[in-house]
Amino acid sequence: MFRQLKLAVGYIRTASLETDVENIVRLKQERISRYCTTRSILIEEIIVDRGSSGLSPLVMRIGGGMLIDYIMKGETDCIVVHHLFELSRDIEELHCLLKIFKEKGITLIDLSILDSEKML
């Protein structure tokens, strides 16, 4: 019997003040891809919002709207981010997102937490 592959959507947000945005995006894409590949997780898409404030609601960002579509349609098992605050810097919005993830059975993977666990 075959084990069903998990489907993931990666999400990257870069701040408007960051320099060398394309290099940052490339490095984060590589990191998300490497993480998923080593765990047999199929990447559906890596969505990038360049130059977006983490204070703007996720739904108001072009890529954020695309991510929400994946979530609401149930077309992904995992959301992979380099850091939780790429989704939002608003605690209430993050709380709502986490509730939706739980309701939809979506796992949130924050690569920065995994890095900090390696240091312990």
Side-chain angles (χ1 to χ4, degrees):
M1 179 175 251
F2 291 101
R3 185 174 67 123
Q4 185 176 358
L5 286 176
K6 288 193 172 202
L7 271 178
V9 173
Y11 180 76
I12 298 169
R13 178 190 59 79
T14 62
S16 54
L17 299 177
E18 288 181 303
T19 57
D20 200 11
V21 170
E22 291 311 311
N23 190 45
I24 292 168
V25 167
R26 183 184 54 77
L27 291 171
K28 289 181 177 184
Q29 286 172 325
E30 288 172 0
R31 178 85 196 289
I32 290 170
S33 295
R34 188 171 49 254
Y35 176 86
C36 291
T37 300
T38 60
R39 285 155 184 83
S40 299
I41 300 171
L42 182 63
I43 302 170
E44 182 71 23
E45 182 174 2
I46 298 177
I47 300 168
V48 180
D49 269 324
R50 288 172 176 81
S52 297
S53 170
L55 296 174
S56 64
L58 187 63
V59 72
M60 299 303 290
R61 301 180 224 149
I62 294 170
M66 292 169 57
L67 181 64
I68 289 172
D69 284 344
Y70 272 106
I71 294 164
M72 300 314 285
K73 291 177 182 175
E75 295 178 342
T76 188
D77 301 308
C78 310
I79 304 295
V80 184
V81 295
H82 192 261
H83 194 285
L84 180 64
F85 289 127
E86 290 187 23
L87 290 173
S88 179
R89 290 195 176 271
D90 181 298
I91 296 300
E92 289 178 24
E93 182 181 28
L94 281 173
H95 180 73
C96 289
L97 287 169
L98 293 174
K99 278 179 63 176
I100 293 169
F101 292 171
K102 185 175 181 179
E103 290 167 5
K104 297 281 188 180
I106 296 171
T107 302
L108 174 64
I109 301 167
D110 177 346
L111 298 177
S112 70
I113 290 174
L114 299 176
D115 287 342
S116 64
E117 289 175 352
K118 287 180 189 175
M119 289 190 246
L120 297 177

PDB file of all heavy atoms in Angstrom, residues 64-99:
ATOM      1  N   GLY A  64      -1.017  36.686  -0.114  1.00  0.00           N
ATOM      2  CA  GLY A  64      -1.808  36.277   1.047  1.00  0.00           C
ATOM      3  C   GLY A  64      -3.193  35.807   0.637  1.00  0.00           C
ATOM      4  O   GLY A  64      -3.707  34.804   1.153  1.00  0.00           O
ATOM      5  N   GLY A  65      -3.795  36.509  -0.309  1.00  0.00           N
ATOM      6  CA  GLY A  65      -5.099  36.094  -0.825  1.00  0.00           C
ATOM      7  C   GLY A  65      -5.027  34.734  -1.499  1.00  0.00           C
ATOM      8  O   GLY A  65      -5.926  33.895  -1.348  1.00  0.00           O
ATOM      9  N   MET A  66      -3.938  34.494  -2.230  1.00  0.00           N
ATOM     10  CA  MET A  66      -3.745  33.189  -2.874  1.00  0.00           C
ATOM     11  C   MET A  66      -3.606  32.091  -1.823  1.00  0.00           C
ATOM     12  O   MET A  66      -4.178  31.002  -1.958  1.00  0.00           O
ATOM     13  CB  MET A  66      -2.505  33.224  -3.769  1.00  0.00           C
ATOM     14  CG  MET A  66      -2.641  34.118  -4.982  1.00  0.00           C
ATOM     15  SD  MET A  66      -1.067  34.403  -5.842  1.00  0.00           S
ATOM     16  CE  MET A  66      -0.531  32.759  -6.225  1.00  0.00           C
ATOM     17  N   LEU A  67      -2.859  32.382  -0.757  1.00  0.00           N
ATOM     18  CA  LEU A  67      -2.674  31.418   0.321  1.00  0.00           C
ATOM     19  C   LEU A  67      -4.010  31.094   0.984  1.00  0.00           C
ATOM     20  O   LEU A  67      -4.325  29.923   1.226  1.00  0.00           O
ATOM     21  CB  LEU A  67      -1.677  31.961   1.351  1.00  0.00           C
ATOM     22  CG  LEU A  67      -1.378  31.051   2.528  1.00  0.00           C
ATOM     23  CD1 LEU A  67      -0.685  29.770   2.059  1.00  0.00           C
ATOM     24  CD2 LEU A  67      -0.528  31.780   3.551  1.00  0.00           C
ATOM     25  N   ILE A  68      -4.797  32.106   1.249  1.00  0.00           N
ATOM     26  CA  ILE A  68      -6.105  31.895   1.867  1.00  0.00           C
ATOM     27  C   ILE A  68      -6.998  31.045   0.971  1.00  0.00           C
ATOM     28  O   ILE A  68      -7.738  30.183   1.454  1.00  0.00           O
ATOM     29  CB  ILE A  68      -6.750  33.239   2.244  1.00  0.00           C
ATOM     30  CG1 ILE A  68      -5.986  33.839   3.427  1.00  0.00           C
ATOM     31  CG2 ILE A  68      -8.227  33.075   2.576  1.00  0.00           C
ATOM     32  CD1 ILE A  68      -6.359  35.241   3.797  1.00  0.00           C
ATOM     33  N   ASP A  69      -6.917  31.239  -0.348  1.00  0.00           N
ATOM     34  CA  ASP A  69      -7.684  30.391  -1.273  1.00  0.00           C
ATOM     35  C   ASP A  69      -7.303  28.919  -1.117  1.00  0.00           C
ATOM     36  O   ASP A  69      -8.176  28.052  -1.072  1.00  0.00           O
ATOM     37  CB  ASP A  69      -7.464  30.823  -2.730  1.00  0.00           C
ATOM     38  CG  ASP A  69      -8.223  32.084  -3.086  1.00  0.00           C
ATOM     39  OD1 ASP A  69      -9.141  32.475  -2.346  1.00  0.00           O
ATOM     40  OD2 ASP A  69      -7.893  32.676  -4.137  1.00  0.00           O
ATOM     41  N   TYR A  70      -6.007  28.624  -1.049  1.00  0.00           N
ATOM     42  CA  TYR A  70      -5.561  27.245  -0.848  1.00  0.00           C
ATOM     43  C   TYR A  70      -6.156  26.678   0.450  1.00  0.00           C
ATOM     44  O   TYR A  70      -6.622  25.541   0.494  1.00  0.00           O
ATOM     45  CB  TYR A  70      -4.028  27.162  -0.755  1.00  0.00           C
ATOM     46  CG  TYR A  70      -3.325  27.002  -2.065  1.00  0.00           C
ATOM     47  CD1 TYR A  70      -2.636  28.064  -2.632  1.00  0.00           C
ATOM     48  CD2 TYR A  70      -3.316  25.780  -2.732  1.00  0.00           C
ATOM     49  CE1 TYR A  70      -1.956  27.928  -3.832  1.00  0.00           C
ATOM     50  CE2 TYR A  70      -2.642  25.632  -3.936  1.00  0.00           C
ATOM     51  CZ  TYR A  70      -1.965  26.704  -4.483  1.00  0.00           C
ATOM     52  OH  TYR A  70      -1.300  26.551  -5.675  1.00  0.00           O
ATOM     53  N   ILE A  71      -6.117  27.492   1.497  1.00  0.00           N
ATOM     54  CA  ILE A  71      -6.585  27.052   2.807  1.00  0.00           C
ATOM     55  C   ILE A  71      -8.087  26.797   2.795  1.00  0.00           C
ATOM     56  O   ILE A  71      -8.556  25.736   3.228  1.00  0.00           O
ATOM     57  CB  ILE A  71      -6.217  28.108   3.881  1.00  0.00           C
ATOM     58  CG1 ILE A  71      -4.696  28.182   4.045  1.00  0.00           C
ATOM     59  CG2 ILE A  71      -6.908  27.795   5.208  1.00  0.00           C
ATOM     60  CD1 ILE A  71      -4.210  29.420   4.759  1.00  0.00           C
ATOM     61  N   MET A  72      -8.843  27.743   2.301  1.00  0.00           N
ATOM     62  CA  MET A  72     -10.302  27.633   2.344  1.00  0.00           C
ATOM     63  C   MET A  72     -10.821  26.520   1.439  1.00  0.00           C
ATOM     64  O   MET A  72     -11.841  25.902   1.732  1.00  0.00           O
ATOM     65  CB  MET A  72     -10.951  28.971   1.997  1.00  0.00           C
ATOM     66  CG  MET A  72     -10.566  30.097   2.964  1.00  0.00           C
ATOM     67  SD  MET A  72     -10.643  29.662   4.718  1.00  0.00           S
ATOM     68  CE  MET A  72     -12.398  29.668   4.984  1.00  0.00           C
ATOM     69  N   LYS A  73     -10.120  26.247   0.347  1.00  0.00           N
ATOM     70  CA  LYS A  73     -10.538  25.174  -0.562  1.00  0.00           C
ATOM     71  C   LYS A  73     -10.055  23.801  -0.083  1.00  0.00           C
ATOM     72  O   LYS A  73     -10.396  22.783  -0.682  1.00  0.00           O
ATOM     73  CB  LYS A  73     -10.008  25.436  -1.972  1.00  0.00           C
ATOM     74  CG  LYS A  73     -10.664  26.628  -2.646  1.00  0.00           C
ATOM     75  CD  LYS A  73     -10.047  26.873  -4.006  1.00  0.00           C
ATOM     76  CE  LYS A  73     -10.646  28.096  -4.675  1.00  0.00           C
ATOM     77  NZ  LYS A  73      -9.961  28.409  -5.935  1.00  0.00           N
ATOM     78  N   GLY A  74      -9.250  23.792   0.974  1.00  0.00           N
ATOM     79  CA  GLY A  74      -8.726  22.532   1.487  1.00  0.00           C
ATOM     80  C   GLY A  74      -7.749  21.866   0.541  1.00  0.00           C
ATOM     81  O   GLY A  74      -7.671  20.643   0.492  1.00  0.00           O
ATOM     82  N   GLU A  75      -6.988  22.661  -0.192  1.00  0.00           N
ATOM     83  CA  GLU A  75      -6.079  22.131  -1.208  1.00  0.00           C
ATOM     84  C   GLU A  75      -4.645  21.954  -0.717  1.00  0.00           C
ATOM     85  O   GLU A  75      -3.729  21.799  -1.523  1.00  0.00           O
ATOM     86  CB  GLU A  75      -6.100  23.039  -2.435  1.00  0.00           C
ATOM     87  CG  GLU A  75      -7.438  23.059  -3.138  1.00  0.00           C
ATOM     88  CD  GLU A  75      -7.481  23.983  -4.330  1.00  0.00           C
ATOM     89  OE1 GLU A  75      -6.609  24.886  -4.443  1.00  0.00           O
ATOM     90  OE2 GLU A  75      -8.393  23.820  -5.151  1.00  0.00           O
ATOM     91  N   THR A  76      -4.442  21.977   0.587  1.00  0.00           N
ATOM     92  CA  THR A  76      -3.106  21.779   1.126  1.00  0.00           C
ATOM     93  C   THR A  76      -3.194  21.118   2.495  1.00  0.00           C
ATOM     94  O   THR A  76      -4.191  21.270   3.198  1.00  0.00           O
ATOM     95  CB  THR A  76      -2.327  23.106   1.209  1.00  0.00           C
ATOM     96  OG1 THR A  76      -0.976  22.831   1.561  1.00  0.00           O
ATOM     97  CG2 THR A  76      -2.909  24.071   2.210  1.00  0.00           C
ATOM     98  N   ASP A  77      -2.140  20.377   2.835  1.00  0.00           N
ATOM     99  CA  ASP A  77      -2.045  19.749   4.148  1.00  0.00           C
ATOM    100  C   ASP A  77      -1.164  20.551   5.089  1.00  0.00           C
ATOM    101  O   ASP A  77      -1.309  20.468   6.306  1.00  0.00           O
ATOM    102  CB  ASP A  77      -1.430  18.340   4.020  1.00  0.00           C
ATOM    103  CG  ASP A  77      -2.235  17.442   3.112  1.00  0.00           C
ATOM    104  OD1 ASP A  77      -3.451  17.327   3.311  1.00  0.00           O
ATOM    105  OD2 ASP A  77      -1.634  16.856   2.180  1.00  0.00           O
ATOM    106  N   CYS A  78      -0.224  21.308   4.516  1.00  0.00           N
ATOM    107  CA  CYS A  78       0.771  22.041   5.294  1.00  0.00           C
ATOM    108  C   CYS A  78       0.986  23.435   4.717  1.00  0.00           C
ATOM    109  O   CYS A  78       0.962  23.611   3.507  1.00  0.00           O
ATOM    110  CB  CYS A  78       2.137  21.346   5.262  1.00  0.00           C
ATOM    111  SG  CYS A  78       2.157  19.619   5.639  1.00  0.00           S
ATOM    112  N   ILE A  79       1.236  24.371   5.608  1.00  0.00           N
ATOM    113  CA  ILE A  79       1.719  25.699   5.227  1.00  0.00           C
ATOM    114  C   ILE A  79       3.128  25.791   5.805  1.00  0.00           C
ATOM    115  O   ILE A  79       3.326  25.566   7.001  1.00  0.00           O
ATOM    116  CB  ILE A  79       0.841  26.831   5.812  1.00  0.00           C
ATOM    117  CG1 ILE A  79      -0.616  26.687   5.409  1.00  0.00           C
ATOM    118  CG2 ILE A  79       1.412  28.196   5.435  1.00  0.00           C
ATOM    119  CD1 ILE A  79      -0.914  26.823   3.947  1.00  0.00           C
ATOM    120  N   VAL A  80       4.091  26.109   4.954  1.00  0.00           N
ATOM    121  CA  VAL A  80       5.483  26.195   5.402  1.00  0.00           C
ATOM    122  C   VAL A  80       5.939  27.643   5.267  1.00  0.00           C
ATOM    123  O   VAL A  80       5.843  28.231   4.185  1.00  0.00           O
ATOM    124  CB  VAL A  80       6.408  25.277   4.570  1.00  0.00           C
ATOM    125  CG1 VAL A  80       7.833  25.312   5.127  1.00  0.00           C
ATOM    126  CG2 VAL A  80       5.880  23.848   4.539  1.00  0.00           C
ATOM    127  N   VAL A  81       6.414  28.203   6.384  1.00  0.00           N
ATOM    128  CA  VAL A  81       6.924  29.574   6.393  1.00  0.00           C
ATOM    129  C   VAL A  81       8.327  29.571   6.980  1.00  0.00           C
ATOM    130  O   VAL A  81       8.691  28.683   7.755  1.00  0.00           O
ATOM    131  CB  VAL A  81       6.010  30.531   7.194  1.00  0.00           C
ATOM    132  CG1 VAL A  81       4.649  30.670   6.544  1.00  0.00           C
ATOM    133  CG2 VAL A  81       5.867  30.089   8.640  1.00  0.00           C
ATOM    134  N   HIS A  82       9.094  30.548   6.602  1.00  0.00           N
ATOM    135  CA  HIS A  82      10.437  30.695   7.163  1.00  0.00           C
ATOM    136  C   HIS A  82      10.334  31.189   8.596  1.00  0.00           C
ATOM    137  O   HIS A  82      11.126  30.812   9.456  1.00  0.00           O
ATOM    138  CB  HIS A  82      11.261  31.668   6.303  1.00  0.00           C
ATOM    139  CG  HIS A  82      12.703  31.654   6.629  1.00  0.00           C
ATOM    140  ND1 HIS A  82      13.284  32.582   7.434  1.00  0.00           N
ATOM    141  CD2 HIS A  82      13.690  30.802   6.261  1.00  0.00           C
ATOM    142  CE1 HIS A  82      14.565  32.319   7.551  1.00  0.00           C
ATOM    143  NE2 HIS A  82      14.835  31.241   6.851  1.00  0.00           N
ATOM    144  N   HIS A  83       9.348  32.032   8.858  1.00  0.00           N
ATOM    145  CA  HIS A  83       9.096  32.565  10.198  1.00  0.00           C
ATOM    146  C   HIS A  83       7.614  32.889  10.315  1.00  0.00           C
ATOM    147  O   HIS A  83       7.017  33.406   9.374  1.00  0.00           O
ATOM    148  CB  HIS A  83       9.936  33.826  10.439  1.00  0.00           C
ATOM    149  CG  HIS A  83       9.988  34.227  11.871  1.00  0.00           C
ATOM    150  ND1 HIS A  83       8.931  34.831  12.497  1.00  0.00           N
ATOM    151  CD2 HIS A  83      10.950  34.086  12.805  1.00  0.00           C
ATOM    152  CE1 HIS A  83       9.244  35.060  13.764  1.00  0.00           C
ATOM    153  NE2 HIS A  83      10.468  34.609  13.970  1.00  0.00           N
ATOM    154  N   LEU A  84       7.026  32.604  11.462  1.00  0.00           N
ATOM    155  CA  LEU A  84       5.601  32.816  11.708  1.00  0.00           C
ATOM    156  C   LEU A  84       5.148  34.226  11.349  1.00  0.00           C
ATOM    157  O   LEU A  84       4.077  34.420  10.775  1.00  0.00           O
ATOM    158  CB  LEU A  84       5.291  32.522  13.180  1.00  0.00           C
ATOM    159  CG  LEU A  84       3.853  32.686  13.630  1.00  0.00           C
ATOM    160  CD1 LEU A  84       2.952  31.691  12.925  1.00  0.00           C
ATOM    161  CD2 LEU A  84       3.758  32.527  15.133  1.00  0.00           C
ATOM    162  N   PHE A  85       5.976  35.207  11.639  1.00  0.00           N
ATOM    163  CA  PHE A  85       5.576  36.593  11.412  1.00  0.00           C
ATOM    164  C   PHE A  85       5.525  36.972   9.939  1.00  0.00           C
ATOM    165  O   PHE A  85       5.141  38.080   9.597  1.00  0.00           O
ATOM    166  CB  PHE A  85       6.461  37.562  12.199  1.00  0.00           C
ATOM    167  CG  PHE A  85       6.191  37.502  13.674  1.00  0.00           C
ATOM    168  CD1 PHE A  85       7.215  37.288  14.577  1.00  0.00           C
ATOM    169  CD2 PHE A  85       4.909  37.641  14.166  1.00  0.00           C
ATOM    170  CE1 PHE A  85       6.970  37.227  15.937  1.00  0.00           C
ATOM    171  CE2 PHE A  85       4.644  37.576  15.518  1.00  0.00           C
ATOM    172  CZ  PHE A  85       5.680  37.372  16.406  1.00  0.00           C
ATOM    173  N   GLU A  86       5.906  36.068   9.052  1.00  0.00           N
ATOM    174  CA  GLU A  86       5.700  36.341   7.627  1.00  0.00           C
ATOM    175  C   GLU A  86       4.209  36.280   7.300  1.00  0.00           C
ATOM    176  O   GLU A  86       3.754  36.942   6.379  1.00  0.00           O
ATOM    177  CB  GLU A  86       6.498  35.367   6.763  1.00  0.00           C
ATOM    178  CG  GLU A  86       7.989  35.637   6.861  1.00  0.00           C
ATOM    179  CD  GLU A  86       8.809  34.813   5.909  1.00  0.00           C
ATOM    180  OE1 GLU A  86       8.287  34.354   4.879  1.00  0.00           O
ATOM    181  OE2 GLU A  86      10.004  34.632   6.192  1.00  0.00           O
ATOM    182  N   LEU A  87       3.453  35.505   8.073  1.00  0.00           N
ATOM    183  CA  LEU A  87       2.001  35.461   7.872  1.00  0.00           C
ATOM    184  C   LEU A  87       1.361  36.754   8.366  1.00  0.00           C
ATOM    185  O   LEU A  87       0.547  37.355   7.677  1.00  0.00           O
ATOM    186  CB  LEU A  87       1.387  34.270   8.609  1.00  0.00           C
ATOM    187  CG  LEU A  87       1.720  32.900   8.047  1.00  0.00           C
ATOM    188  CD1 LEU A  87       1.185  31.814   8.980  1.00  0.00           C
ATOM    189  CD2 LEU A  87       1.144  32.735   6.652  1.00  0.00           C
ATOM    190  N   SER A  88       1.721  37.155   9.581  1.00  0.00           N
ATOM    191  CA  SER A  88       1.166  38.378  10.148  1.00  0.00           C
ATOM    192  C   SER A  88       1.957  38.777  11.386  1.00  0.00           C
ATOM    193  O   SER A  88       2.495  37.922  12.081  1.00  0.00           O
ATOM    194  CB  SER A  88      -0.301  38.164  10.542  1.00  0.00           C
ATOM    195  OG  SER A  88      -0.833  39.336  11.107  1.00  0.00           O
ATOM    196  N   ARG A  89       1.978  40.064  11.652  1.00  0.00           N
ATOM    197  CA  ARG A  89       2.566  40.566  12.892  1.00  0.00           C
ATOM    198  C   ARG A  89       1.475  40.949  13.887  1.00  0.00           C
ATOM    199  O   ARG A  89       1.761  41.440  14.964  1.00  0.00           O
ATOM    200  CB  ARG A  89       3.480  41.762  12.617  1.00  0.00           C
ATOM    201  CG  ARG A  89       4.739  41.360  11.886  1.00  0.00           C
ATOM    202  CD  ARG A  89       5.774  42.462  11.958  1.00  0.00           C
ATOM    203  NE  ARG A  89       7.005  42.055  11.337  1.00  0.00           N
ATOM    204  CZ  ARG A  89       8.004  41.436  11.967  1.00  0.00           C
ATOM    205  NH1 ARG A  89       7.879  41.129  13.231  1.00  0.00           N
ATOM    206  NH2 ARG A  89       9.103  41.122  11.324  1.00  0.00           N
ATOM    207  N   ASP A  90       0.225  40.702  13.516  1.00  0.00           N
ATOM    208  CA  ASP A  90      -0.923  40.988  14.377  1.00  0.00           C
ATOM    209  C   ASP A  90      -1.316  39.705  15.109  1.00  0.00           C
ATOM    210  O   ASP A  90      -1.728  38.720  14.477  1.00  0.00           O
ATOM    211  CB  ASP A  90      -2.081  41.497  13.507  1.00  0.00           C
ATOM    212  CG  ASP A  90      -3.305  41.844  14.307  1.00  0.00           C
ATOM    213  OD1 ASP A  90      -3.865  40.945  14.958  1.00  0.00           O
ATOM    214  OD2 ASP A  90      -3.720  43.019  14.270  1.00  0.00           O
ATOM    215  N   ILE A  91      -1.191  39.715  16.423  1.00  0.00           N
ATOM    216  CA  ILE A  91      -1.444  38.520  17.228  1.00  0.00           C
ATOM    217  C   ILE A  91      -2.878  38.016  17.056  1.00  0.00           C
ATOM    218  O   ILE A  91      -3.110  36.808  16.964  1.00  0.00           O
ATOM    219  CB  ILE A  91      -1.132  38.797  18.716  1.00  0.00           C
ATOM    220  CG1 ILE A  91       0.354  39.110  18.911  1.00  0.00           C
ATOM    221  CG2 ILE A  91      -1.555  37.629  19.603  1.00  0.00           C
ATOM    222  CD1 ILE A  91       1.293  38.003  18.478  1.00  0.00           C
ATOM    223  N   GLU A  92      -3.840  38.902  16.996  1.00  0.00           N
ATOM    224  CA  GLU A  92      -5.233  38.479  16.817  1.00  0.00           C
ATOM    225  C   GLU A  92      -5.433  37.796  15.467  1.00  0.00           C
ATOM    226  O   GLU A  92      -6.131  36.785  15.368  1.00  0.00           O
ATOM    227  CB  GLU A  92      -6.180  39.668  16.968  1.00  0.00           C
ATOM    228  CG  GLU A  92      -6.276  40.158  18.404  1.00  0.00           C
ATOM    229  CD  GLU A  92      -7.186  41.369  18.547  1.00  0.00           C
ATOM    230  OE1 GLU A  92      -8.078  41.566  17.698  1.00  0.00           O
ATOM    231  OE2 GLU A  92      -6.998  42.114  19.519  1.00  0.00           O
ATOM    232  N   GLU A  93      -4.822  38.345  14.414  1.00  0.00           N
ATOM    233  CA  GLU A  93      -4.937  37.724  13.099  1.00  0.00           C
ATOM    234  C   GLU A  93      -4.263  36.346  13.105  1.00  0.00           C
ATOM    235  O   GLU A  93      -4.809  35.376  12.565  1.00  0.00           O
ATOM    236  CB  GLU A  93      -4.320  38.605  12.009  1.00  0.00           C
ATOM    237  CG  GLU A  93      -4.469  38.002  10.625  1.00  0.00           C
ATOM    238  CD  GLU A  93      -3.852  38.834   9.515  1.00  0.00           C
ATOM    239  OE1 GLU A  93      -2.878  39.578   9.759  1.00  0.00           O
ATOM    240  OE2 GLU A  93      -4.359  38.721   8.383  1.00  0.00           O
ATOM    241  N   LEU A  94      -3.090  36.253  13.734  1.00  0.00           N
ATOM    242  CA  LEU A  94      -2.409  34.961  13.823  1.00  0.00           C
ATOM    243  C   LEU A  94      -3.277  33.939  14.561  1.00  0.00           C
ATOM    244  O   LEU A  94      -3.374  32.781  14.147  1.00  0.00           O
ATOM    245  CB  LEU A  94      -1.062  35.097  14.536  1.00  0.00           C
ATOM    246  CG  LEU A  94       0.091  35.641  13.709  1.00  0.00           C
ATOM    247  CD1 LEU A  94       1.312  35.874  14.587  1.00  0.00           C
ATOM    248  CD2 LEU A  94       0.423  34.707  12.562  1.00  0.00           C
ATOM    249  N   HIS A  95      -3.909  34.372  15.627  1.00  0.00           N
ATOM    250  CA  HIS A  95      -4.785  33.478  16.392  1.00  0.00           C
ATOM    251  C   HIS A  95      -5.924  32.961  15.512  1.00  0.00           C
ATOM    252  O   HIS A  95      -6.220  31.759  15.512  1.00  0.00           O
ATOM    253  CB  HIS A  95      -5.333  34.204  17.625  1.00  0.00           C
ATOM    254  CG  HIS A  95      -6.239  33.369  18.452  1.00  0.00           C
ATOM    255  ND1 HIS A  95      -5.788  32.338  19.239  1.00  0.00           N
ATOM    256  CD2 HIS A  95      -7.582  33.398  18.600  1.00  0.00           C
ATOM    257  CE1 HIS A  95      -6.807  31.767  19.832  1.00  0.00           C
ATOM    258  NE2 HIS A  95      -7.913  32.395  19.463  1.00  0.00           N
ATOM    259  N   CYS A  96      -6.539  33.849  14.750  1.00  0.00           N
ATOM    260  CA  CYS A  96      -7.624  33.447  13.834  1.00  0.00           C
ATOM    261  C   CYS A  96      -7.108  32.475  12.770  1.00  0.00           C
ATOM    262  O   CYS A  96      -7.772  31.476  12.465  1.00  0.00           O
ATOM    263  CB  CYS A  96      -8.250  34.665  13.160  1.00  0.00           C
ATOM    264  SG  CYS A  96      -9.234  35.661  14.265  1.00  0.00           S
ATOM    265  N   LEU A  97      -5.942  32.760  12.219  1.00  0.00           N
ATOM    266  CA  LEU A  97      -5.354  31.865  11.209  1.00  0.00           C
ATOM    267  C   LEU A  97      -5.091  30.479  11.789  1.00  0.00           C
ATOM    268  O   LEU A  97      -5.402  29.462  11.161  1.00  0.00           O
ATOM    269  CB  LEU A  97      -4.053  32.449  10.660  1.00  0.00           C
ATOM    270  CG  LEU A  97      -4.176  33.638   9.719  1.00  0.00           C
ATOM    271  CD1 LEU A  97      -2.807  34.263   9.475  1.00  0.00           C
ATOM    272  CD2 LEU A  97      -4.816  33.227   8.408  1.00  0.00           C
ATOM    273  N   LEU A  98      -4.544  30.440  12.997  1.00  0.00           N
ATOM    274  CA  LEU A  98      -4.247  29.156  13.622  1.00  0.00           C
ATOM    275  C   LEU A  98      -5.527  28.359  13.896  1.00  0.00           C
ATOM    276  O   LEU A  98      -5.537  27.128  13.748  1.00  0.00           O
ATOM    277  CB  LEU A  98      -3.436  29.360  14.904  1.00  0.00           C
ATOM    278  CG  LEU A  98      -2.026  29.908  14.687  1.00  0.00           C
ATOM    279  CD1 LEU A  98      -1.356  30.219  16.023  1.00  0.00           C
ATOM    280  CD2 LEU A  98      -1.182  28.956  13.862  1.00  0.00           C
ATOM    281  N   LYS A  99      -6.591  29.051  14.257  1.00  0.00           N
ATOM    282  CA  LYS A  99      -7.879  28.368  14.452  1.00  0.00           C
ATOM    283  C   LYS A  99      -8.375  27.766  13.140  1.00  0.00           C
ATOM    284  O   LYS A  99      -8.854  26.632  13.103  1.00  0.00           O
ATOM    285  CB  LYS A  99      -8.919  29.345  15.001  1.00  0.00           C
ATOM    286  CG  LYS A  99      -8.845  29.545  16.495  1.00  0.00           C
ATOM    287  CD  LYS A  99      -9.858  30.539  17.000  1.00  0.00           C
ATOM    288  CE  LYS A  99     -11.271  30.076  16.758  1.00  0.00           C
ATOM    289  NZ  LYS A  99     -12.282  30.968  17.328  1.00  0.00           N
TER     290      LYS A  99
END
